[in-house]
Amino acid sequence: MTLSGTDRVLRACPLLLAIFMVTLSPVKTATETDPYRILGVSRGASQAEIKRAYKSLAKEWHPDKNKDPNAEDTFIKISKSYEILSNEERRANFDRYGQTDENQPFGQSQHHGFRNFHNSFYFDESFFHFSRTRDFADSKYLFHHAQFNSEVIPESHKRPYLIKVISEWCFACVHIEPVWKETVQELEPLGIGIGIIDLGFERRLASQLGVHRAPTIIGLVNGRATFFHQAVVREHLRQFVEDLLPQKQVEKITDDTYLSFLESWRDENKPSVLLFDVVPAVPLMYKLTAFSFRDYVRFGYVDQGASHNVRLLRQFNINTYAPTMLLFKEDTVNPVDIIQARGMKRQIMDEFVSNNKFLQVPRLVNQQLFDELCPVKQFHRRRKYCVLLITSEDQSFQPGNQAFLDFARVNVKEVLRFAYVYQRQQQPLCQALLPNQAVLLPQVVILERRSQAGKVLFRSVAGGWNGSEEEKYRLHEQLELLQKDPSYLSSDATLPELNNERAPMFIIRWMNAAYDYVVQSYEDLLYSSGREMMPILSLIFSALFILFGTVIIQAFSEPGESKPQRSKPKEQPPSEEEASNRAGTSSRPPKKDFVEVTELTDITYISNLVKLRPGHINVVLVLTHSSKNALLRKFAKEVFSFSGTQTLHFSFLNADKHHNWMPSLLRSASSQTDGHSAEDEESSDYTGYVLALNGYKKYFSLFRPVFTGEDPSEASSTSETSFSSDTRRNSRSRSRSSSHSRSRSHSREEGSASKRGSGRTTSIEVHHKLDKLGVWMERLTEGSLPRLQVPYWPSLDANKES
């Protein structure tokens, strides 16, 4: 069959039309995606012209300002075009090949729709200007729920965080990505934390922050999240972070105010830092440093270009060509440290302030400052001694305080820390170091911290302190002796936690919390969508319903319905005997130093002693009905720092119930030694004795109260001296004899000490009987105490009082 010419033309028309459409389609696509055409610039436009065009179009087509339905798509095209033309390499690729996708091979941009015949419905991501919102570089900034609560929130009290919330397939996240990257490159070197939260994977964290959509930008300072509600521009983000910081943490200093600023170190108890720079506004980097060290140092800023700072620049000889930092402590005329650098960096500032964040003689105003100045000893080489002046803020004490400061300036050493406290503000601490003494004159105490529970070794300098040359010489001599012989600190005590003198009043804390809540609620109502406002509105209406419901019920209730209730009879306070019995049945000592203490009874005797597991020791306190409360409190305080180990158990034995058990135990021990316990058998009062019982190996170590004088305050120091001499004698005997003779020498010396004090047991109060228990517990843990063997443990049932 032969086709005519007309038929050939008619049959070829659809084919020609399809070829024409395919040929026209790339031209149309290239026109719509031409970045030059979208930005309205010529191909020879400079980078400045391209940037100006982008800013103008971005401001006009921003979705937050332009209500056109196509505003978001247009804005995305503008951002994508600017990304291509602002990068010289991508711009050259487009000029040469028409390429707009950086992952596309050169020379194939015009035919990317025909990669495969069978893949005729291929869609390229770049055609829709749509890419994944998270690249590989963002993975190091990702936050997870546990990490955010354990690390980020505590760290936000030292530096602010800027957090971006994104999600997959987020159109709006794409066009803010260039601005976000530029902002991160600028703010991260300044010390600002950067974070990213993926809304799809961290819904729990997003719900905690109150985020329900992406993209969202949040600022985090002091654990409080603040939402960013402006256009995503680098300048706006920078200002947003700056507004998160406290406004008055850096003070503007002039010729008239610098002297009062430097002299406030006595009231503020902080060093002062002055930054000199030619910029009128305080630099953000300096504000961030001030925020990090606001608890330690006061910060001031001096504008070198201002006319009212000429005298200040001349006095300190400031070079106007580079930023300068001066740090002052107690001396307001001469700075203790100076740094000057043309390119001042955050790391340099932090090191400069961190090395000088304490005064030469700071005042202990809270426990945190005490922990940092006088840390607990960890190793012998890291031993720190705290020289503490107990004084007053009265004017009559000022000469002695100034003399102590002068002494500290001269005797600067790595192992010494000088500080002072006011007795009126820190009475519990002063009472623990100077019991039963009133500070009529300043007192100097040298101490060394031994545990986090407050255990310290200390020695007070005799004669007080008034700053004379003789007292300076005496203190210097004792410090030299201390560094040669650490055992010079002969007294021990458990210090209470210091009062926080800087803590704001309750009403101020409540007002600040209320202000933050009101501001947060206002922002939530102002910027939240309808769906996000539903929980808030529901809470408000519920509160109103309850309030008005209560008012209506009270208004319509009859007056006779509210009858006065009969007041309950007032409970009588328990008697002394009942309170003693209550304390005895409870195994919990005072709440402050909690130690699990059980009573040795008929039921617990077998499990807590006879069948005690190998390697375990039961520390037993012997007491009576009358001394139970006082001895249990003192016992719990002394053994608290040793209660962390699982091999030590703590119990008490009531000698009034089982008065024959102690004599039986000592008689069985004396049969194994050469009359060791002869003196103990003569005594009938075992109150305050402590025994370390090893039930498996059938031996025990004994602690007896040491009485050395009529005055309890003198007894403490004298007993320490006696104990130190006994310890030195024991150590010499241990080095010369075998283990059997070592046990006998200890027994004789401790027995003689008990015999010397047995005649004066009534001359000291009950709670002083355990004053040396802490030192004895240290020897127990070291394994240096003498051990008394027994053939068997006496039965508790057979000796129980009927």
Side-chain angles (χ1 to χ4, degrees):
M1 180 177 176
T2 306
L3 295 177
S4 61
T6 304
D7 293 336
R8 291 192 186 95
V9 172
L10 292 175
R11 288 177 178 247
C13 281
L15 180 61
L16 294 174
L17 182 61
I19 295 173
F20 176 75
M21 293 299 296
V22 169
T23 307
L24 184 62
S25 178
V27 177
K28 181 179 180 181
T29 302
T31 303
E32 292 179 351
T33 59
D34 186 356
Y36 293 104
R37 185 180 183 86
I38 294 173
L39 294 181
V41 296
S42 63
R43 288 186 173 269
S46 63
Q47 287 294 333
E49 294 174 347
I50 294 173
K51 189 173 185 179
R52 281 196 299 270
Y54 164 71
K55 286 186 176 181
S56 177
L57 292 174
K59 186 176 181 180
E60 177 185 355
W61 290 97
H62 197 283
D64 294 341
K65 298 181 179 181
N66 196 322
K67 302 304 180 182
D68 192 301
N70 299 322
E72 185 173 352
D73 295 337
T74 305
F75 188 85
I76 293 175
K77 292 180 180 179
I78 293 171
S79 301
K80 192 71 175 179
S81 301
Y82 180 70
E83 288 182 15
I84 296 172
L85 298 184
S86 61
N87 189 307
E88 295 294 342
E89 183 178 355
R90 297 184 64 183
R91 181 180 181 181
N93 292 336
F94 178 81
D95 293 341
R96 186 176 302 174
Y97 306 107
Q99 174 186 335
T100 59
D101 188 358
E102 60 184 358
N103 296 323
Q104 180 182 348
F106 294 157
Q108 296 185 7
S109 63
Q110 301 296 330
H111 306 286
H112 62 277
F114 297 95
R115 296 187 183 183
N116 194 326
F117 177 78
H118 300 287
N119 193 14
S120 58
F121 294 99
Y122 173 84
F123 292 97
D124 195 345
E125 240 181 35
S126 64
F127 179 77
F128 295 97
H129 301 277
F130 189 84
S131 62
R132 296 179 65 86
T133 59
R134 191 178 75 206
D135 54 19
F136 179 76
D138 291 338
S139 60
K140 67 177 182 178
Y141 299 117
L142 285 177
F143 284 161
H144 304 287
H145 184 267
Q147 173 207 6
F148 182 83
N149 289 279
S150 63
E151 299 178 8
V152 178
I153 290 182
E155 196 174 356
S156 67
H157 292 269
K158 295 182 179 180
R159 65 168 178 166
Y161 271 85
L162 189 64
I163 304 172
K164 180 180 66 169
V165 181
I166 61 173
S167 65
E168 297 293 341
W169 314 113
C170 171
F171 283 96
C173 298
V174 175
H175 67 259
I176 70 170
E177 189 64 24
V179 180
W180 173 262
K181 288 183 177 179
E182 292 178 0
T183 306
V184 169
Q185 292 175 359
E186 178 186 2
L187 298 183
E188 191 176 18
L190 301 181
I192 297 175
I194 305 297
I196 295 177
I197 299 176
D198 195 317
L199 192 60
F201 294 94
E202 292 295 334
R203 292 192 177 275
R204 183 181 175 188
L205 178 55
S207 177
Q208 174 183 335
L209 295 173
V211 180
H212 304 286
R213 61 174 181 264
T216 300
I217 296 178
I218 303 174
L220 186 71
V221 170
N222 292 330
R224 180 176 177 268
T226 304
F227 287 80
F228 176 76
H229 299 292
Q230 297 180 339
V232 183
V233 183
R234 186 174 63 177
E235 290 76 11
H236 291 173
L237 289 173
R238 179 188 176 94
Q239 188 63 41
F240 171 68
V241 173
E242 194 164 353
D243 293 340
L244 293 176
L245 301 173
Q247 298 301 316
K248 296 182 180 181
Q249 64 182 1
V250 179
E251 184 178 346
K252 288 289 190 70
I253 304 300
T254 62
D255 288 342
D256 300 329
T257 61
Y258 87 93
L259 194 57
S260 60
F261 174 78
L262 296 180
E263 289 180 347
S264 62
W265 66 266
R266 197 182 304 275
D267 297 329
E268 298 292 337
N269 196 38
K270 299 176 182 177
S272 303
V273 174
L274 286 179
L275 173 65
F276 295 80
D277 203 350
V278 295
V279 184
V282 181
L284 176 59
M285 182 169 56
Y286 190 59
K287 288 184 177 181
L288 294 171
T289 303
F291 178 74
S292 299
F293 295 94
R294 65 189 183 279
D295 294 334
Y296 302 96
V297 181
R298 299 179 67 241
F299 292 85
Y301 179 75
V302 180
D303 179 13
Q304 296 181 3
S307 58
H308 50 263
N309 293 328
V310 177
R311 180 163 53 90
L312 188 60
L313 300 177
R314 189 185 306 113
Q315 177 175 347
F316 295 108
N317 194 21
I318 301 300
N319 183 2
T320 59
Y321 296 99
T324 306
M325 292 181 68
L326 306 181
L327 192 139
F328 297 85
K329 292 188 178 181
E330 288 88 346
D331 189 356
T332 60
V333 178
N334 302 310
V336 296
D337 204 353
I338 302 174
I339 185 174
Q340 189 176 59
R342 188 176 298 274
M344 190 77 73
K345 295 183 179 180
R346 175 66 191 278
Q347 184 180 1
I348 298 176
M349 284 187 174
D350 287 353
E351 291 180 358
F352 176 76
V353 178
S354 179
N355 295 334
N356 301 278
K357 63 181 183 179
F358 298 117
L359 294 172
Q360 291 178 339
V361 184
R363 179 162 63 95
L364 300 183
V365 294
N366 52 42
Q367 187 65 32
Q368 178 185 355
L369 184 59
F370 186 37
D371 293 339
E372 293 191 47
L373 279 175
C374 305
V376 177
K377 184 197 77 169
Q378 296 179 349
F379 304 101
H380 178 73
R381 293 183 178 179
R382 297 184 182 179
R383 190 188 301 267
K384 303 290 183 184
Y385 298 105
C386 192
V387 185
L388 187 62
L389 173 66
I390 300 177
T391 181
S392 174
E393 65 271 28
D394 296 341
Q395 192 64 30
S396 59
F397 285 74
Q398 293 305 317
N401 300 344
Q402 183 63 38
F404 187 76
L405 173 59
D406 297 337
F407 180 85
R409 290 173 177 171
V410 178
N411 295 272
V412 177
K413 294 183 180 180
E414 182 64 25
V415 296
L416 297 179
R417 296 289 186 270
F418 293 88
Y420 70 99
V421 294
Y422 288 152
Q423 186 197 23
R424 193 174 303 171
Q425 282 80 5
Q426 302 293 342
Q427 288 185 0
L429 174 70
C430 300
Q431 189 64 29
L433 294 175
L434 301 172
N436 303 324
Q437 295 186 30
V439 182
L440 301 177
L441 293 175
Q443 301 283 334
V444 177
V445 177
I446 308 171
L447 60 89
E448 177 190 5
R449 300 186 64 195
R450 302 302 297 270
S451 69
Q452 295 290 350
K455 190 76 173 180
V456 297
L457 298 178
F458 71 97
R459 188 185 186 97
S460 59
V461 180
W465 174 269
N466 58 19
S468 64
E469 294 299 326
E470 180 182 355
E471 290 175 345
K472 290 181 180 179
Y473 177 78
R474 187 189 309 128
L475 178 58
H476 182 270
E477 188 178 38
Q478 294 192 16
L479 292 176
E480 292 291 333
L481 179 61
L482 173 65
Q483 297 180 51
K484 297 177 182 178
D485 183 14
S487 62
Y488 180 73
L489 302 180
S490 56
S491 302
D492 65 279
T494 301
L495 301 183
E497 186 172 346
L498 270 69
N499 298 327
N500 188 1
E501 302 177 21
R502 301 299 184 187
M505 299 175 58
F506 171 77
I507 186 64
I508 297 177
R509 295 200 304 267
W510 184 85
M511 291 176 62
N512 292 335
Y515 173 77
D516 292 340
Y517 179 77
V518 170
V519 172
Q520 186 68 32
S521 301
Y522 172 76
E523 292 181 354
D524 292 342
L525 290 173
L526 184 62
Y527 296 104
S528 298
S529 61
R531 180 173 65 87
E532 297 169 359
M533 290 176 61
M534 287 303 296
I536 303 175
L537 296 177
S538 175
L539 178 62
I540 294 175
F541 282 113
S542 299
L544 293 176
F545 177 77
I546 294 173
L547 178 62
F548 285 106
T550 305
V551 173
I552 293 173
I553 292 174
Q554 291 181 353
F556 286 94
S557 63
E558 297 182 2
E561 293 180 359
S562 56
K563 296 181 180 180
Q565 297 181 354
R566 183 180 301 174
S567 59
K568 295 183 180 180
K570 188 176 181 181
E571 296 182 359
Q572 297 295 332
S575 63
E576 185 176 352
E577 183 177 357
E578 292 176 355
S580 176
N581 291 336
R582 265 184 217 172
T585 55
S586 174
S587 63
R588 293 177 179 265
K591 292 183 179 179
K592 182 180 179 182
D593 295 334
F594 177 78
V595 181
E596 192 72 25
V597 183
T598 57
E599 182 178 4
L600 284 183
T601 62
D602 304 335
I603 301 175
T604 61
Y605 182 76
I606 300 298
S607 60
N608 287 6
L609 177 59
V610 179
K611 294 185 178 181
L612 201 63
R613 288 178 292 175
H616 287 242
I617 294 177
N618 196 348
V619 182
V620 181
L621 167 68
V622 181
L623 47 78
T624 58
H625 282 306
S626 59
S627 62
K628 178 183 294 184
N629 291 335
L631 286 181
L632 275 179
R633 289 192 183 93
K634 184 69 174 178
F635 182 73
K637 183 178 294 187
E638 291 293 329
V639 304
F640 175 74
S641 58
F642 304 93
S643 59
T645 175
Q646 298 180 355
T647 58
L648 287 180
H649 309 273
F650 302 96
S651 307
F652 68 91
L653 176 75
N654 195 327
D656 292 338
K657 298 180 182 179
H658 313 282
H659 65 278
N660 291 327
W661 187 82
M662 276 292 294
S664 300
L665 178 66
L666 296 177
R667 280 195 298 270
S668 63
S670 64
S671 63
Q672 301 296 315
T673 59
D674 298 336
H676 171 78
S677 301
E679 295 88 359
D680 295 309
E681 294 183 35
E682 296 175 1
S683 174
S684 60
D685 182 18
Y686 300 100
T687 305
Y689 278 50
V690 180
L691 303 96
L693 307 174
N694 191 317
Y696 180 76
K697 293 187 177 181
K698 292 186 178 62
Y699 71 81
F700 68 93
S701 300
L702 184 63
F703 168 85
R704 306 177 189 83
V706 180
F707 310 103
T708 57
E710 298 292 337
D711 188 6
S713 62
E714 295 176 1
S716 175
S717 60
T718 314
S719 61
E720 178 66 21
T721 308
S722 174
F723 182 81
S724 301
S725 61
D726 290 346
T727 305
R728 287 192 291 270
R729 263 189 261 120
N730 293 338
S731 61
R732 288 195 296 269
S733 64
R734 283 198 300 270
S735 64
R736 293 195 301 264
S737 61
S738 62
S739 61
H740 178 70
S741 62
R742 178 178 66 233
S743 176
R744 284 193 302 181
S745 63
H746 277 287
S747 303
R748 294 194 191 98
E749 289 163 2
E750 292 190 11
S752 62
S754 178
K755 186 175 180 179
R756 287 192 301 269
S758 61
R760 285 185 265 178
T761 6
T762 60
S763 66
I764 192 168
E765 295 179 8
V766 174
H767 64 275
H768 282 293
K769 290 190 174 186
L770 301 179
D771 282 347
K772 293 300 156 188
L773 182 59
V775 181
W776 183 82
M777 288 294 299
E778 289 185 0
R779 294 181 58 191
L780 174 64
T781 56
E782 294 172 357
S784 60
L785 287 176
R787 301 175 179 178
L788 305 178
Q789 296 289 337
V790 293
Y792 60 91
W793 295 113
S795 175
L796 201 63
D797 284 335
N799 297 287
K800 183 180 179 181
E801 181 181 1
S802 59

